[in-house]
Structures are given as C-alpha cells and as structure tokens.
Amino acid sequence: MTQAFIIFAVLAWLLQIAFGWWQLQRFNRAFDGLCQLGTVGVGRSGGRFRPRVVLALAFDTEQRVCGSMLMRGLTIFAQPRQLARLHGLHQRDLIPDVIFPEDRACQTALSLAIAPKS
C-alpha cells in the first residue's frame, strides 16, 4: 500500500512538471508574438489562493494597442487569450476601472502593464 501511494505521488508530480512546461511553452509563444508587434507592457496580480492574472499589451509607435494577451487561472490549464476589445485604443484611454469594472485582479494587472517604465 505504501509503495502504491509513493508511485502515485511521483506520477502526479511528474504530470505537474509536464503540464507546467506545456503551459510555459504556450505563454512563451504568445509573448514572443506580442514582442514582434512593438513595445510590450506586462502586469500581473493574484495571490496564493486567488486566480493569478498576467496581462501583456503590445503598443505600436503611436502608443496604440496592437496586440494583447490575458492569462488567468489557478491551474496549469490557464491559457493566453487575446483582448480584442482593447486593440486600437491609445495608452491614455486604457482606464482599468472602466475596462474591468468588476475584476480587481485584471484592474491591477492592467495598471501595471500601462505604467510608465523608468
């Protein structure tokens, strides 16, 4: 019985590693695509027991959103998704409270993504 438990735990751990690598590969592909579009701003929020949010925006030379990626969730099955409704907006028009009125985690991530870099 003890051996079965140890084998099960090792298999679960290996699956976690494999799925984590798979998720990281999907994120990296999406992020690389954004980096090819222009300047990229990244913001993240979340905690240990709340869904984490990673938001990345690509800006063209006129500071308009030309690409986006939102990744949120608690598990390894979170996928990067585009935020098409933000495409074409100027950076000054991105108001986190207006764009995500009910989602505090996305508001925080968007605030960090559009914050001026020093």
Side-chain angles (χ1 to χ4, degrees):
M1 184 67 181
T2 304
Q3 284 181 331
F5 179 72
I6 292 172
I7 290 171
F8 176 76
V10 168
L11 287 175
W13 180 61
L14 291 173
L15 276 173
Q16 174 67 25
I17 291 171
F19 280 129
W21 177 83
W22 179 54
Q23 182 185 39
L24 191 58
Q25 293 303 312
R26 288 184 306 184
F27 174 82
N28 285 339
R29 277 193 296 274
F31 191 74
D32 284 343
L34 282 180
C35 289
Q36 293 175 4
L37 296 175
T39 306
V40 177
V42 179
R44 73 173 191 87
S45 70
R48 183 173 292 279
F49 299 109
R50 292 182 312 209
R52 293 180 187 234
V53 174
V54 176
L55 189 138
L57 299 173
F59 296 98
D60 62 13
T61 55
E62 298 174 1
Q63 295 302 311
R64 294 197 177 278
V65 177
C66 59
S68 61
M69 177 186 70
L70 174 71
M71 194 167 175
R72 70 175 308 151
L74 284 170
T75 68
I76 52 172
F77 298 111
Q79 298 180 40
R81 292 192 166 85
Q82 279 195 7
L83 293 170
R85 64 185 176 163
L86 300 181
H87 293 199
L89 293 176
H90 195 277
Q91 186 174 5
R92 70 175 172 267
D93 299 329
L94 297 173
I95 303 168
D97 298 346
V98 174
I99 295 172
F100 299 110
E102 301 293 324
D103 194 340
R104 190 80 177 127
C106 286
Q107 289 175 8
T108 302
L110 180 57
S111 295
L112 292 172
I114 62 176
K117 310 301 183 263
S118 52

